[in-house]
Amino acid sequence: MADVYFDKTAKRYRYTANGRFVSRKIFLEIQQQFINHKIAQLTGLSEQFYNNPTKENLEKASQILKEIHIAKGVIGAGGADKMFANDYLAIATTLKRHYGLTDNNPNPYGLRQLFEQLQNGEIKSVDVLRARLRLYGQSGSQSRHAVELNKKTIEGKTEAKRILGTTDFHCNECLSYAASGWGSLSSLVLPGTRCSCLTNCLCSVVYR
């Protein structure tokens, strides 16, 4: 982000405008504010996309989504200074699914399919499109969980457990994952994947 940068010499964050130091906690809060702004920006373009479903607008939506996922990944890492190649690879893998560029999805999925539906007249209102774009905006949490898993693996954690989110509405899959208790990292199903909640998933993961 342009407002804050990591000073490699001081090994601390600074505000770009005045050079004052920023705590890691405040930096991560600023990251979340940036994400909220980007989600609003994505959904705010709904009418433009609905009336003009062009390749240019698809690329615009894809760029915003990329910024959301990277920012969420930074939160998962605990800071931009803790992001490494394998973390960006985890984000890229997640993004590829949401772009609709993977071959292993059983059904068409991703922004590419969304814009094809728009062009074919299958999405009947701006409100429906806005809701769909909001779901894509929320998908950045999947990158946060993927990067967090990388970090916990490096730390030497070997087991993980799903924790249900703070809501009264849980899908059957999430209830099952949480009920399974502790398991190996290789068996972990990250929140928002392989569940009916998808990007609405509020589950978290604890490690040991």
Side-chain angles (χ1 to χ4, degrees):
M1 295 184 304
D3 294 342
V4 179
Y5 71 97
F6 185 73
D7 184 332
K8 293 182 179 179
T9 301
K11 296 184 179 180
R12 294 181 64 184
Y13 291 95
R14 291 182 184 271
Y15 285 112
T16 303
N18 55 26
R20 291 174 56 189
F21 288 121
V22 184
S23 70
R24 186 173 298 275
K25 180 176 181 292
I26 295 298
F27 168 77
L28 294 175
E29 290 175 357
I30 293 172
Q31 282 287 113
Q32 186 57 55
Q33 292 170 7
F34 172 80
I35 291 164
N36 295 342
H37 168 71
K38 285 297 175 179
I39 292 175
Q41 186 179 17
L42 183 61
T43 57
L45 293 172
S46 301
E47 188 168 346
Q48 177 184 338
F49 294 165
Y50 185 79
N51 294 323
N52 192 24
T54 62
K55 182 179 179 181
E56 289 72 22
N57 278 332
L58 172 58
E59 291 174 351
K60 186 181 296 184
S62 298
Q63 178 59 36
I64 294 172
L65 189 61
K66 178 181 178 181
E67 292 172 353
I68 291 170
H69 275 254
I70 291 175
K72 273 290 191 181
V74 167
I75 291 177
D81 56 307
K82 297 185 178 183
M83 291 286 290
F84 299 104
N86 64 327
D87 301 315
Y88 287 106
L89 178 59
I91 293 172
T93 300
T94 304
L95 266 176
K96 198 173 180 182
R97 291 199 304 270
H98 291 289
Y99 288 158
L101 299 178
T102 53
D103 298 324
N104 58 354
N105 286 318
N107 299 304
Y109 185 74
L111 282 176
R112 187 168 60 176
Q113 185 225 11
L114 176 64
F115 273 74
E116 287 176 358
Q117 291 176 328
L118 270 173
Q119 291 174 326
N120 295 334
E122 297 175 42
I123 297 178
K124 302 302 183 182
S125 72
V126 175
D127 288 340
V128 171
L129 176 60
R130 184 176 295 110
R132 294 276 298 275
L133 288 173
R134 183 175 294 109
L135 289 174
Y136 280 107
Q138 293 170 185
S139 70
S141 292
Q142 295 177 6
S143 283
R144 175 173 64 83
H145 289 300
V147 171
E148 183 182 45
L149 174 59
N150 281 347
K151 299 306 177 189
K152 297 302 181 181
T153 302
I154 292 171
E155 290 174 13
K157 307 297 183 184
T158 58
E159 292 185 307
K161 179 171 69 171
R162 286 279 293 269
I163 303 296
L164 293 172
T166 53
T167 175
D168 294 328
F169 302 98
H170 303 288
C171 73
N172 290 332
E173 295 92 340
C174 285
L175 289 170
S176 176
Y177 297 142
S180 297
W182 292 100
S184 66
L185 297 189
S186 61
S187 66
L188 174 64
V189 178
L190 292 175
T193 63
R194 289 164 55 187
C195 69
S196 301
C197 300
L198 297 176
T199 65
N200 284 320
C201 187
L202 298 176
C203 291
S204 58
V205 181
V206 292
Y207 296 85
R208 69 180 184 185

